Structures are given as C-alpha cells and as structure tokens.
Amino acid sequence: MWEKVCDAFEAANEGVTVELTIDKNLEDVIDPAMKAGDYPDVIMRAVGAESGMTETFIRDNNLTELTDVLDMTVPGEEVTVGEKILPGFTENTIVNP
C-alpha cells in the first residue's frame, strides 16, 4: 500500500522523489541517520513500541500537525481523506497523540 501512496504523491508533485523505508524494526534502520542529524520528513509509527521512539517525539514536542490532510479531497474522488477513514479511528491517543 505505501508504495502506491508514494507513487501517487510523486505523480501529483512534479519533481518530487519519495524515499520510502519499510521495516518492522524501523527505529533500528533510521536511528543512525537521525543521530547524525538526518531526519525523515514523515515517520509512520504507533505508540507502544519497545523503542519508545514515538513517545520520545511526543514528549520532546518533535511532531508536526498533519490533521489538515483529513480535509483534503482524495485525488480522482469527491470525498475527503477524513470521510474515507472509519469513524472513531482518529479520535484516540494512540493514533492522534
């Protein structure tokens, strides 16, 4: 699914290249680069992981508000992103800390 999201994003944004990293141990993969000051633009990670990365980002206020995406119209459709998400999904502290 994420490959399709990235492809669509690149197609909609001329000149943009997405470097996608998918790994069940994502923290282990991106941590060395972050320690060197090279942070990803977006990280998709839930709370509760053993590494505590998400909780650390929340505690240190190292997050950027992205909820405006929910009001965007889905390309090629007449509905918003928020309308496509199951009711209640974003109204909890796990998904929306």
Side-chain angles (χ1 to χ4, degrees):
M1 171 189 88
W2 291 114
E3 289 90 353
K4 289 181 181 179
V5 170
C6 292
D7 291 344
F9 187 82
E10 288 178 344
N13 296 278
E14 186 177 331
V16 172
T17 300
V18 175
E19 295 177 19
L20 178 64
T21 302
I22 299 174
D23 196 288
K24 83 176 190 181
N25 297 315
L26 183 63
E27 293 89 340
D28 295 338
V29 174
I30 65 174
D31 192 53
M34 290 193 320
K35 286 180 178 173
D38 183 17
Y39 290 85
D41 293 321
V42 177
I43 300 171
M44 175 70 175
R45 191 75 175 115
V47 296
E50 187 176 320
S51 73
M53 177 183 281
T54 303
E55 290 82 354
T56 300
F57 273 56
I58 293 168
R59 182 190 68 231
D60 295 345
N61 200 26
N62 289 332
L63 302 173
T64 298
E65 184 69 41
L66 295 176
T67 55
D68 60 328
V69 171
L70 298 173
D71 297 325
M72 293 178 178
T73 302
V74 175
E77 299 184 25
E78 295 185 19
V79 297
T80 65
V81 173
E83 291 172 324
K84 295 197 77 153
I85 295 176
L86 293 173
F89 182 78
T90 59
E91 289 85 30
N92 65 71
T93 58
I94 293 172
V95 175
N96 191 6

